[in-house]
Amino acid sequence: MASHRRQWGALSSLLFLAPVFIVLPLLAYRNHRALPEPEYRLFKPGTNILQIAESEILGVARFLSEEIGYRTVGTEEHTAADQWMVIQVSKIKEQCENIVAKTGRKLQCEVSRQEGSGHHWIDMMGKRLYKMCNNLSNSISDGTLPSPGTADDAISVGVMLECMRVLLATPDWSRRHAIIFLFNHAEESLQDGSHLFSTQHPWASTARTVINLEAAGRAGCELLFQATSEQMIEAYSHVPRPYGMVFAKEIFNSGIILSDNDFCQFEQYLNITGLEMFIIGNSYLYHMRKDFVENIEPSVAQHMGENTFALISYLASDKSPIPDLPSGYSKPCKGALQGLPALVWLGLSLH
């Protein structure tokens, strides 16, 4: 008797592949939306241990974007934000000195506010632009009209201040490598501030890696947008909620998006590797006049804050890959995603 094999039809094939085309996208979407609960308590429940609090981050973002307002370079609001930032980092420096005096912890905090002038080239839409920059102050992110600049980039300023607060107040925290927090002006006017820091500041030559915090949206997980060394991808794996994709960087490299930011200045002039992390969800409010705190999805700031804090803590520790980092910039890594002597940003240096 001849054997009969069951023939797969189109319907059977579709039913067999349904879990692949339906379940996997749903799982991916769920993972994309998996945000931590926003914290409004400064201390972990039942302890005296400080924790990253979204309420503190959004408080900074609200003050900058809604009380000070539009911080376009050269405006009175821009000057007010600069003065406010100097006061904040000076308070943190004073707090650091008091902690050292009372506890003997091995901490040293420095504050530097830079002004200067210079020039640099910018490649845009296949053309080279020659930029002059004058009287720039590296201390806080600026903004661009018509946006008050909550997501881009007041939230990142709040994240950095919150990381500084928690690090200093954690009794058992120690560091092997210094951290530079750079609150940077004139990014929206074609990266004048980051260029000034990279080419003229005495701390610039000590940098071995950079973490650039950015936003082009107001919702969803903070996305690891690009990583330029395998060691930094490994460092990112130590954050509590890693999230990244190669696809995002491929789109950016294609030239479809006519945009750039401070990360390119650090790559080109400091010749270092690093990570760039973005808030990208619901980007229709990016650089728009409704970029207010009330329109930021709950937990977005908490997610960026917790990941940034974990990453900084790891890179400053004895386990840091800083000593083994490549001596210069390498092409963006395309691996799957599952400073320090100096790290990130100017404003306050912990070493």
Side-chain angles (χ1 to χ4, degrees):
M1 179 183 292
S3 61
H4 296 280
R5 293 183 179 180
R6 183 179 179 182
Q7 300 294 321
W8 281 83
L11 180 61
S12 300
S13 299
L14 288 174
L15 290 175
F16 179 77
L17 294 174
V20 177
F21 292 108
I22 297 176
V23 176
L24 289 182
L26 288 176
L27 290 175
Y29 179 77
R30 180 181 178 184
N31 180 64
H32 176 69
R33 304 293 300 178
L35 292 168
E37 288 295 320
E39 285 291 347
Y40 299 94
R41 296 167 293 188
L42 301 185
F43 297 89
K44 294 180 180 179
T47 72
N48 292 323
I49 301 175
L50 284 171
Q51 63 180 354
I52 298 294
E54 177 166 292
S55 58
E56 295 293 298
I57 297 171
L58 293 182
V60 170
R62 181 177 287 107
F63 180 83
L64 291 173
S65 61
E66 299 176 23
E67 294 190 33
I68 292 181
Y70 300 99
R71 303 176 308 284
T72 308
V73 172
T75 61
E76 292 183 0
E77 292 81 2
H78 178 237
T79 300
D82 172 56
Q83 294 171 346
W84 180 83
M85 193 69 250
V86 171
I87 293 173
Q88 302 313 304
V89 296
S90 297
K91 288 180 179 178
I92 292 175
K93 181 177 183 293
E94 182 179 356
Q95 177 188 357
C96 175
E97 292 170 345
N98 291 337
I99 290 173
V100 172
K102 291 180 180 179
T103 66
R105 287 175 61 188
K106 295 181 179 180
L107 293 174
Q108 181 180 349
C109 301
E110 297 181 53
V111 174
S112 174
R113 180 179 180 274
Q114 181 187 16
E115 294 187 8
S117 61
H119 54 82
H120 62 106
W121 293 99
I122 290 287
D123 292 319
M124 179 174 290
M125 301 179 67
K127 306 294 184 181
R128 300 204 75 185
L129 304 180
Y130 185 72
K131 284 283 282 116
M132 295 291 296
C133 49
N134 297 281
N135 299 323
L136 300 175
S137 306
N138 285 325
S139 57
I140 197 168
S141 293
D142 55 309
T144 186
L145 293 174
S147 172
T150 296
D152 183 23
D153 204 26
I155 283 183
S156 298
V157 173
V159 165
M160 289 162 56
L161 286 173
E162 183 68 353
C163 288
M164 293 158 68
R165 178 185 72 86
V166 176
L167 284 174
L168 283 179
T170 303
D172 58 349
W173 178 71
S174 61
R175 83 292 168 275
R176 175 71 179 273
H177 305 283
I179 308 170
I180 303 173
F181 292 90
L182 173 59
F183 300 92
N184 196 33
H185 280 301
E187 190 266 353
E188 299 292 356
S189 60
L190 301 183
Q191 304 115 47
D192 295 330
S194 56
H195 180 82
L196 184 70
F197 171 75
S198 299
T199 58
Q200 298 185 30
H201 199 280
W203 293 353
S205 62
T206 69
R208 288 298 311 280
T209 187
V210 60
I211 303 169
N212 193 44
L213 301 182
E214 264 284 7
R218 48 159 291 273
C221 295
E222 155 254 291
L223 171 72
L224 178 60
F225 189 69
Q226 61 177 322
T228 53
S229 71
E230 294 181 3
Q231 293 89 339
M232 290 301 290
I233 288 182
E234 194 281 329
Y236 183 75
S237 70
H238 293 271
V239 305
R241 294 175 178 85
Y243 184 72
M245 61 180 70
V246 176
F247 185 62
K249 180 58 182 173
E250 291 298 321
I251 292 178
F252 191 78
N253 283 345
S254 71
I256 296 176
I257 301 175
L258 301 177
S259 179
D260 211 342
N261 58 36
D262 290 333
F263 196 77
C264 72
Q265 298 291 328
F266 302 131
E267 286 181 336
Q268 183 174 353
Y269 293 99
L270 297 182
N271 199 30
I272 58 177
T273 67
L275 302 174
E276 185 165 38
M277 303 189 296
F278 263 76
I279 299 170
I280 62 168
N282 292 354
S283 59
Y284 55 84
L285 292 183
Y286 172 59
H287 282 181
M288 294 292 125
R289 59 187 179 87
K290 291 187 178 181
D291 183 17
F292 293 119
V293 169
E294 65 182 21
N295 293 320
I296 301 297
E297 182 183 10
S299 299
V300 168
Q302 187 72 35
H303 183 258
M304 176 176 269
E306 290 181 0
N307 276 2
T308 303
F309 179 78
L311 188 55
I312 290 174
S313 300
Y314 178 75
L315 288 172
S317 71
D318 291 335
K319 299 178 181 179
S320 173
I322 292 294
D324 301 320
L325 283 175
S327 57
Y329 165 74
S330 58
K331 292 183 178 180
C333 296
K334 298 184 178 181
L337 297 174
Q338 310 165 1
L340 308 183
L343 159 73
V344 288
W345 321 292
L346 162 68
L348 180 77
S349 174
L350 303 179
H351 58 89

